[in-house]
Amino acid sequence: MGKLQKILVIGAGELGYQVLRSLFHHPSQEKSVAVLLRPTSISSTNPSKQKEIEGLRNLGIHLIPGDIIEDSEPTLTSIFEDYDTVISCTGFVSGKGIQLKVARSILTAAVPRFIPWQFGVDYDTIGRGSPQDLFDEQLDVRDLLRSQTKTRWVIISTGMFTSFLFEPAFGVVDLRNMTVSALGAWENRVTVTTPTDIGKFTAEIVLGDETEALFTDRVIFVGGDTVSYEQLALLVEKVTQKPVRRNDLAVADIQAALVQDPDNGLLKYQAVFGQGRGVAWNLSETWNHQQRIPAITAEEWALENLV
């Protein structure tokens, strides 16, 4: 047995909870797992929140009060200093500037290993000035991490959460009207991964045999599936046993709608995915495929959740 690994996960939302579960159940090393939660979440009287907190406690996960939005950088630094690895599962809901604030606090704390909130698209390929303005901060975080050598880091590029591709609000799959819309072009592809699989991959990267080799300031691509919008339409027809109407969403039309409604986050995402750059990669090239770690495909997810 190696030395006890002290791991902190920031946030216990849809992804954070799966990362925590997978870390806890990972067999290979002695570890102490903690989660940073807002004090109001820990002391909440909301029954579903209490059940969540109880579930974390039952897993033996330590609850650490802290707030990445409200707390100062020195306060966050003093929390992070206690850990060997910090994994940020905050999402974009925390608002502008928070990802950078967390990254600066991590570096000041000289945390040995860090996985930032970059579970998503290939921001380097998309580049600055994309329709989704939140993405520029992701590149700022990468620049900051790349400018130093004390904290080793790994970015895990997962593509979109599988469920989001089928989410009516995203505007691609509309089962009510049996419509599938292509963002940009029918041959445009998108890579998707479920939070459960992302949790599994993250735990293996942090606690597996290859950890030291993987934490070499790099981007690791993973994926559950990569599908074109045409393949998605065929998949929906196969799973529902009904024909779907195909609808084209041209990037120019999405951008025109964005001019009228500049704060519409979903239109920003549609425009990025419609451009079709940095949002998909071949599964054969993914880390999990090369490690022979199975993952849930879009069709498997649809059979489980749409039928």
Side-chain angles (χ1 to χ4, degrees):
M1 277 289 181
K3 126 182 177 346
L4 177 78
Q5 288 294 321
K6 291 188 76 183
I7 303 164
L8 177 70
V9 175
I10 307 174
E14 188 178 8
L15 179 60
Y17 184 75
Q18 295 298 338
V19 170
L20 286 161
R21 274 188 68 243
S22 293
L23 287 168
F24 174 78
H25 290 296
H26 194 281
S28 81
Q29 284 189 35
E30 274 192 81
K31 71 266 181 187
S32 161
V33 182
V35 60
L36 187 75
L37 293 172
R38 288 193 188 100
T40 50
S41 294
I42 296 174
S43 61
S44 173
T45 53
N46 176 306
S48 71
K49 186 55 81 176
Q50 282 181 326
K51 192 177 169 193
E52 238 172 71
I53 295 295
E54 198 52 39
L56 293 170
R57 284 203 173 105
N58 289 342
L59 286 177
I61 288 162
H62 307 286
L63 308 182
I64 309 297
D67 190 327
I68 58 169
I69 298 172
E70 299 298 331
D71 289 349
S72 68
E73 279 186 38
T75 300
L76 292 175
T77 297
S78 68
I79 295 171
F80 298 152
E81 278 170 343
D82 286 339
Y83 297 92
D84 302 305
T85 304
V86 176
I87 306 165
S88 181
C89 294
T90 58
F92 284 124
V93 288
S94 46
K96 284 187 181 176
I98 301 301
Q99 309 298 339
L100 264 173
K101 178 184 178 182
V102 169
R104 284 194 300 263
S105 305
I106 291 284
L107 298 186
T108 307
V111 174
R113 295 199 292 253
F114 179 44
I115 298 180
W117 167 259
Q118 302 253 340
F119 299 94
V121 294
D122 180 356
Y123 301 107
D124 286 325
T125 297
I126 289 171
R128 292 185 182 276
S130 82
Q132 177 46 280
D133 47 354
L134 289 172
F135 287 0
D136 280 9
E137 189 180 342
Q138 298 295 72
L139 292 166
D140 294 338
V141 169
R142 292 185 181 205
D143 287 348
L144 185 62
L145 293 175
R146 285 166 175 154
S147 72
Q148 57 80 52
T149 53
K150 204 178 264 184
T151 293
R152 315 311 299 177
W153 52 271
V154 164
I155 282 165
I156 306 174
S157 285
T158 62
M160 187 190 289
F161 285 0
T162 310
S163 56
F164 192 61
L165 183 60
F166 293 92
E167 181 61 51
F170 184 49
V172 172
V173 176
D174 177 0
L175 289 182
R176 204 138 137 236
N177 298 303
M178 286 311 291
T179 303
V180 172
S181 299
L183 299 177
W186 286 100
E187 64 272 16
N188 277 355
R189 301 187 309 156
V190 57
T191 293
V192 295
T193 318
T194 66
T196 307
D197 283 333
I198 299 169
K200 186 169 68 176
F201 303 154
T202 303
E204 184 57 28
I205 287 166
V206 170
L207 291 169
D209 296 335
E210 302 290 313
T211 296
E212 289 309 317
L214 291 173
F215 271 86
T216 49
D217 307 346
R218 61 190 286 208
V219 180
I220 292 175
F221 290 90
V222 300
D225 210 345
T226 296
V227 292
S228 68
Y229 294 107
E230 178 55 39
Q231 287 170 324
L232 180 64
L234 293 170
L235 184 160
V236 172
E237 286 181 328
K238 180 180 172 185
V239 167
T240 61
Q241 300 284 293
K242 293 175 188 169
V244 302
R245 202 161 50 82
R246 285 159 172 75
N247 178 42
D248 295 276
L249 280 175
V251 175
D253 293 340
I254 298 167
Q255 287 177 321
L258 199 48
V259 170
Q260 299 302 314
D261 189 2
D263 295 325
N264 188 317
L266 283 166
L267 286 175
K268 291 176 185 181
Y269 280 111
Q270 283 187 350
V272 169
F273 282 91
Q275 288 172 345
R277 192 174 66 248
V279 297
W281 34 91
N282 296 328
L283 290 181
S284 60
E285 295 162 13
T286 59
W287 175 80
N288 55 292
H289 180 87
Q290 288 162 1
Q291 297 294 314
R292 293 186 168 79
I293 303 174
I296 297 161
T297 64
E299 184 173 327
E300 286 166 342
W301 189 93
L303 283 165
E304 185 74 28
N305 294 278
L306 297 188
V307 179

